[in-house]
Amino acid sequence: MLYVIFRFLLRVMYTVLFRLQAVGVDNIPKEGPVILASNHISNLDPPTIGVKVPRKVYFMAKEELFKIPVFGALIRSFGAFPVKRGGVSKDAIKSGIALLKAGNVMGIFPEGSRKTPGSAKKGTAMIAMRSGAVIVPVAIVGGYKLFRTTKAVYGKPIYLSEIIDESSPDALDQAMEVVMDRIRELSAQHS
């Protein structure tokens, strides 16, 4: 219930302040495990991806955020779970796979941070392969300028089994190249 209330409030706030438009929300499957994989341009990105999506979106968030009084408890109540940065976070990967196997939607930023645009980590593809989730590429376009349009553009789902050879030693790299290419295409089409 808390999630629904805050999603509504953030939807109104983002619509007024950033003229947020969601394009292609219908590309998100109505049921089953889904990863929303997005570019990362701002700390404002998680609500941008989730507020106009009818399904609840769970996010990995850097573990430092959970140490901030009140805010940490708040994002945990929304379904966020911590990820350690700078290495492999096995607990976060297990949590993500479990959420997806339960048929949920997870938002993730394959680049890991705003400081490395374009270079994706393999975790997104690994989680998708192990959970059976489809990946929906998402491009956030615009710069969160007040009263100017920011868009969240949702692309067609990517089924990893259709694009990669899972026995290949670089299957995860291949998958992430496809995902990042789709994000770049969506961004270019809607800029």
Side-chain angles (χ1 to χ4, degrees), residues 56-103:
K56 182 176 181 177
V57 181
Y58 296 82
F59 283 94
M60 285 186 179
K62 61 184 176 183
E63 68 177 349
E64 296 89 338
L65 295 176
F66 293 88
K67 297 174 183 170
I68 300 172
V70 182
F71 183 76
L74 189 63
I75 62 173
R76 190 177 299 276
S77 73
F78 294 155
F81 56 96
V83 60
K84 291 180 185 175
R85 298 190 313 161
V88 176
S89 181
K90 292 181 181 176
D91 290 338
I93 292 170
K94 287 179 184 173
S95 295
I97 291 170
L99 274 169
L100 291 164
K101 283 189 172 180

Side-chain angles (χ1 to χ4, degrees), residues 68-175:
I68 300 172
V70 182
F71 183 76
L74 189 63
I75 62 173
R76 190 177 299 276
S77 73
F78 294 155
F81 56 96
V83 60
K84 291 180 185 175
R85 298 190 313 161
V88 176
S89 181
K90 292 181 181 176
D91 290 338
I93 292 170
K94 287 179 184 173
S95 295
I97 291 170
L99 274 169
L100 291 164
K101 283 189 172 180
N104 292 301
V105 178
M106 185 174 80
I108 195 166
F109 301 100
E111 297 157 324
S113 74
R114 292 169 284 129
K115 296 177 183 171
T116 56
S119 62
K121 298 180 179 185
K122 301 176 189 176
T124 303
M126 182 179 60
I127 292 170
M129 287 175 67
R130 291 188 180 174
S131 66
V134 298
I135 299 176
V136 173
V138 183
I140 298 173
V141 181
Y144 295 105
K145 293 179 181 164
L146 286 177
F147 310 117
R148 296 207 177 163
T149 301
T150 297
K151 294 179 186 175
V153 184
Y154 303 86
K156 299 281 185 196
I158 299 170
Y159 298 87
L160 294 186
S161 61
E162 296 176 359
I163 62 165
I164 61 170
D165 174 6
E166 291 185 26
S167 64
S168 171
D170 60 351
L172 299 178
D173 289 322
Q174 292 172 9

